[in-house]
Amino acid sequence: MIIKLEAYRIFNEVSRNKSFSKAAAALYMTQPAVSQSISKLEKELDIILFNRTPKGVTLTEEGELLHEYVNSALGILDAGEEKIAEFKNLRTGVLRIGVGDTISRYFLLPYLEAFHIKYPGIKLKVLNGTTNEILAFIKSGEADLGICNLPIQDPQLQVIPCKEIHDILVCGQKYKNLTKKPIRFDMLMKLPLIFLEKKANSRNYVENYLKEQGYTISPEFELGSHDLVLEFAKINLGVASVTKEFATDYLKKGLLYEIELQQPIPKRSLGVVHLKNVSLSKATRKFIAIVDPGIIH
C-alpha cells in the first residue's frame, strides 16, 4: 500500500498539471519515472487513466472517477499529517488533570496559568475528585496525570513528590490560650476536633500518625472541604487539622492561630501521579516540567 500510495500521489500530480513533464518537475522526478509509475498503476487497476496527446494528457472517465477519491484521500492524509505536527509542536491537543478542589485552588492554579500562556492551543480539562477518585481516573485513562496528597503506594503508578506540606492544628480566638506552649496528644484528645471526612488522604495521614502514637480520634465535625474546616475553626467550633500551606491567609490575618504539638506531625508532600510504563504525551511531560522544573522530561 505504501508503494501504491506514492503512485497515487504521482497520479494526482499528473492530473493537476495535465502533463507528465510538469508533474515530474513538481515532484523532483524524471519524466520516464513518472510515466512508468502511471503505466504500472493502470496495469494494476486494469484501466486507462489518461488520454495521451501531443499537447499533454487528460483524464479518462475512469480517471476522473478515481481522481475524485484520490484527491480527497490525499487531502485527508495531508490534514492528518498537519494535525500530527500540531500535536508534536503543542499547537493543539487536550491535557486532562485530576485534582481536588483544595489543591487546585491553593497550589495548581499558577501552574495552569503558566502552561496556558506557553501552550494556548492545548485545552485543559480538570477532573475534580478525592485522591482515590483521581487515581481511578488515571488508571481508567480518563486523566493523563493527577496532583494528589501523598503518600500513595500503588505499583501501577509513578509518584513524583513536588511540594512539601505540613499538617498542623489551628483554632479561633476561643482556644487561643492553647497556643502559649506545645500541647500533648492526651490534651488534644479532650478537645472538640474538626477534621476532613474519612475518605480524604490528608485526614488519613494525620489519623494514622496519631494511631501510631496510641491515640484514636473521634472528631466533633467531619467536613467535605478544607475551606469549611478553616471556617468552622474560625467561628470557634473546635480545633482543626489543616494543611499549613493552604491556611496561610487565615494565619497571616489573625483569623486562626496555630497550636503546636509537643511531637509535631511529620511533613509530607503533594505529588504528581501518572501511570507507570505508559508513554506520556508531550503535553503531559511539559506540564510536569512546569510543576517541577527539576524533572527532566
Side-chain angles (χ1 to χ4, degrees), residues 50-112:
F50 292 101
N51 298 307
R52 279 80 166 171
T53 69
K55 294 182 179 180
V57 296
T58 58
L59 287 165
T60 62
E61 187 176 347
E62 295 89 343
E64 289 278 6
L65 178 63
L66 181 62
H67 180 251
E68 288 182 21
Y69 287 97
V70 168
N71 192 52
S72 175
L74 292 176
I76 292 170
L77 286 173
D78 288 341
E81 288 179 351
E82 176 61 25
K83 284 296 180 184
I84 292 297
E86 288 180 0
F87 272 106
K88 287 173 66 178
N89 296 317
L90 296 177
R91 297 199 302 269
T92 189
V94 179
L95 178 62
R96 303 162 302 167
I97 304 170
V99 66
D101 289 335
T102 302
I103 295 175
S104 183
R105 177 179 177 183
Y106 293 104
F107 173 75
L108 188 61
L109 288 180
Y111 299 111
L112 291 178

